[in-house]
Amino acid sequence: AQTVTQSQPEMSVQEAETVTLSCTYDTSESDYYLFWYKQPPSRQMILVIRQEAYKQQNATENRFSVNFQKAAKSFSLKISDSQLGDAAMYFCAYSAYNNNDMRFGAGTRLTVKP
Amino acid sequence: GAVVSQHPSRVICKSGTSVKIECRSLDFQATTMFWYRQFPKKSLMLMATSNEGSKATYEQGVEKDKFLINHASLTLSTLTVTSAHPEDSSFYICSAFWEGSNTEAFFGQGTRLTVV
């Protein structure tokens, strides 16, 4: 079974600074997808960024980027120029290539200090 | 982007009664929908996979007779919590998958169920 581990229950960053959230996963598959989702207080799940495992290039979405290390099964999220609106729970998620049910990590609560 | 609407957003019911939660894909056909449960300050736990026109696939430990799932059309899946008890109180979230979305899942707003 696939597992997703987020070892940082809480993280804090100063506004305008950079923060990295960690995620590791375990799978025997070679093709799969990895995601970072943001869950603000409204509880609505918002996709932040997605990475296809077959792509070597790290995904980037504006201030959000990932460091995907397939051999190490690591998938960290870097948030640059942190903003107050970035404060939320962040979940790392895994989805197999041919099976779309997502498995989520325990989450990291990010606090942004003004 | 695609929109998934979940209703109701909040519901309070008495112990022993049943409550139905709806998950609708508003602008796309969802061949597969997923139901998650989220405890306070915890992660999303997959309960079941709902496939249009067939029986749902439940995760280990999820009581299929308590959590009835029906996916009668390509735009609607329902989760019915039967004979609800206070321990069923939780936040329930659905997501829908559209084959044209490159494996992106679209999430509903969630339903906070409180059983009193």
Side-chain angles (χ1 to χ4, degrees):
Chain A
Q2 295 82 15
T3 58
V4 180
T5 302
Q6 292 178 249
S7 59
Q8 306 156 313
E10 297 183 352
M11 289 286 284
S12 178
V13 64
Q14 203 71 33
E15 191 176 7
E17 297 295 310
T18 296
V19 65
T20 299
L21 308 184
S22 301
C23 174
T24 58
Y25 59 94
D26 185 29
T27 182
S28 58
E29 303 289 337
S30 58
D31 291 327
Y32 49 88
Y33 299 91
L34 296 166
F35 308 82
W36 278 99
Y37 277 89
K38 169 184 178 181
Q39 188 180 44
S42 68
R43 307 293 289 272
Q44 177 71 55
M45 297 290 285
I46 301 168
L47 178 65
V48 174
I49 200 165
R50 172 179 56 221
Q51 174 81 42
E52 291 90 339
Y54 64 87
K55 291 186 177 179
Q56 292 184 344
Q57 186 173 6
N58 289 323
T60 299
E61 289 287 342
N62 300 313
R63 298 183 295 107
F64 300 88
S65 61
V66 298
N67 184 2
F68 174 48
Q69 301 291 327
K70 191 172 184 179
K73 296 180 181 175
S74 171
F75 183 62
S76 61
L77 174 69
K78 185 172 80 171
I79 305 174
S80 304
D81 186 25
S82 297
Q83 300 176 358
L84 296 177
D86 294 333
M89 281 291 289
Y90 285 81
F91 292 101
C92 178
Y94 166 100
S95 175
Y97 181 73
N98 58 355
N99 186 357
N100 302 296
D101 60 345
M102 285 187 182
R103 308 291 169 162
F104 290 85
T108 297
R109 180 171 299 281
L110 177 66
T111 302
V112 181
K113 297 180 179 179
Chain B
V3 177
V4 174
S5 177
Q6 191 172 337
H7 178 80
S9 58
R10 291 176 180 268
V11 60
I12 300 173
C13 71
K14 293 183 177 180
S15 289
T17 63
S18 297
V19 60
K20 181 185 289 186
I21 302 170
E22 293 185 347
C23 181
R24 294 181 183 272
S25 56
L26 297 186
D27 49 4
F28 67 100
Q29 293 183 329
T31 53
T32 306
M33 292 184 174
F34 303 93
W35 287 96
Y36 294 86
R37 182 172 180 175
Q38 187 178 27
F39 291 100
K41 300 184 180 180
K42 297 293 184 182
S43 186
L44 283 73
M45 302 301 297
L46 179 67
M47 297 175 65
T49 301
S50 173
N51 298 298
E52 186 270 336
S54 63
K55 290 183 178 181
T57 303
Y58 290 82
E59 293 298 302
Q60 189 174 8
V62 177
E63 299 177 61
K64 61 181 179 181
D65 293 331
K66 165 168 274 297
F67 300 101
L68 300 179
I69 291 173
N70 184 283
H71 195 155
S73 75
L74 285 171
T75 59
L76 174 64
S77 176
T78 60
L79 167 67
T80 301
V81 183
T82 63
S83 186
H85 289 96
E87 56 265 31
D88 298 326
S89 299
S90 192
F91 193 71
Y92 294 89
I93 306 177
C94 72
S95 72
F97 171 73
W98 167 53
E99 292 181 358
S101 65
N102 194 23
T103 312
E104 178 179 349
F106 301 96
F107 286 84
Q109 308 95 314
T111 297
R112 180 176 299 284
L113 169 64
T114 302
V115 184
V116 298

